[in-house]
Amino acid sequence: MRTYDVVLSCGLIALALGFSPAASFDGLPSDAAPGQGTAPSAARPPAAPVQRATPNEELRSGMQALRSGKPDQAVSSLEYAAEKGMPGAMWKLGRMYADGEGVGQNKLRAFEYFLNLTKTHAYEPPDSQESRFVASAFVALGQYYLDGIPDTAVKPDPRLRLICSATRHPISVIRNAQYHLGRLYLLGTGTAKDGVQAARWLRLAANKGQRSAQAMFGSMLFKGQGVARQPAVGLAWLTLAKDGASSQEAWITETYRSALAQASMDERAQAGRVAEELTRSRKTTK
């Protein structure tokens, strides 16, 4: 899974849990009844169409108004730009509501802007200006999933916290987050036990060289713990983990030795070939 696949999965899981990014920017549900909270349209003549600048111009105008101490004008321009899909406007509005900058602090409103940004722009090229806003939004979402937002549907969730935290960091941080997420599913910590999900996340981390993930994933395969048993492949992963283990990781060596003692001669021979293939594959993908 590419880094940006991990990025998008955070937004998709959030949607599955019912966190809708489709709330309208005026604070009303997007499916609010026509005229709700306003005078009936028949009681007043139709308003003349408002001529707006381009989204880019509105974004610049909003930022200038904010610097000039005109928060109401800033919010109006930024909301228009955000509605038109401008990631910079979504990010700035999220930060304004998160920090109470020119508006009343509203964590849920900030969350909605950040979530909408990640949902609509998750696949921006990593070197683009937009990707910086997306990455920052995921970091903010990760914090909300760590603490939750009181009296809302946004509850603390260690799985989403870890996913969101692994989006703008070095490979070492990404693989560690994937390892811990797999471990949560394997042990049933903060979520129901799920061997398939555990194996998926552990394999991602194992492919990146995370030794604990290699050992845990290998042990799962060797024993058939929550997944179909593949003793030779499991022993191969355990071999890679053992070869890279430090003296402080004695459990990895012990897990390898235990599996080796139980493996047949054919499984040992096949494991050696698989370990060589895995090593070559990792070298070609670096």
Side-chain angles (χ1 to χ4, degrees), residues 37-122:
T38 64
S41 58
R44 60 189 180 197
V50 178
Q51 296 296 323
R52 301 295 301 247
T54 67
N56 266 318
E57 291 170 340
E58 290 287 354
L59 173 57
R60 289 194 294 269
S61 175
M63 296 301 293
Q64 179 60 46
L66 195 61
R67 288 191 292 268
S68 301
K70 302 175 182 177
D72 292 342
Q73 181 181 334
V75 169
S76 176
S77 294
L78 290 172
E79 283 183 345
Y80 177 80
E83 288 171 354
K84 296 301 181 182
M86 296 295 294
M90 296 181 197
W91 178 82
K92 185 58 182 178
L93 285 165
R95 286 264 44 102
M96 288 172 67
Y97 282 106
D99 302 333
E101 179 189 2
V103 295
Q105 189 178 46
N106 188 325
K107 292 184 177 181
L108 182 59
R109 196 77 181 272
F111 175 91
E112 290 170 346
Y113 276 113
F114 290 136
L115 185 58
N116 200 29
L117 172 55
T118 59
K119 177 177 178 286
T120 55
H121 291 279

Side-chain angles (χ1 to χ4, degrees), residues 1-10 134-143 145 158-181 201 204-205 208:
M1 182 183 290
R2 295 176 303 165
T3 300
Y4 271 71
D5 290 328
V6 180
V7 169
L8 185 59
S9 67
C10 180
V134 175
S136 295
F138 270 107
V139 172
L141 287 176
Q143 188 61 44
Y145 287 131
R159 298 163 298 168
L160 294 179
R161 162 62 175 170
L162 286 168
I163 295 172
C164 293
S165 296
T167 60
R168 58 176 273 177
H169 299 291
I171 192 69
S172 60
V173 177
I174 295 174
R175 69 189 183 191
N176 286 338
Q178 290 170 339
Y179 160 67
H180 287 295
L181 187 60
W201 288 107
L204 287 170
K208 295 180 178 67

Side-chain angles (χ1 to χ4, degrees), residues 40 42 69 74 82 89 114 134 154 201 209-210 236 251 255-256 281-282 285:
F114 290 136
V134 175
V154 185
W201 288 107
Q210 217 283 356
W251 72 272
T255 303
Y256 163 77
S281 176
R282 286 199 59 223
T285 56

Side-chain angles (χ1 to χ4, degrees), residues 219-242:
S219 181
M220 288 182 68
L221 291 176
F222 187 84
K223 297 176 181 178
Q225 182 182 3
V227 293
R229 187 167 187 263
Q230 301 180 59
V233 179
L235 183 58
W237 279 111
L238 283 166
T239 301
L240 294 184
K242 181 265 300 181

Side-chain angles (χ1 to χ4, degrees), residues 8-23:
L8 185 59
S9 67
C10 180
L12 295 179
I13 293 173
L15 292 175
L17 295 178
F19 305 141
S20 172

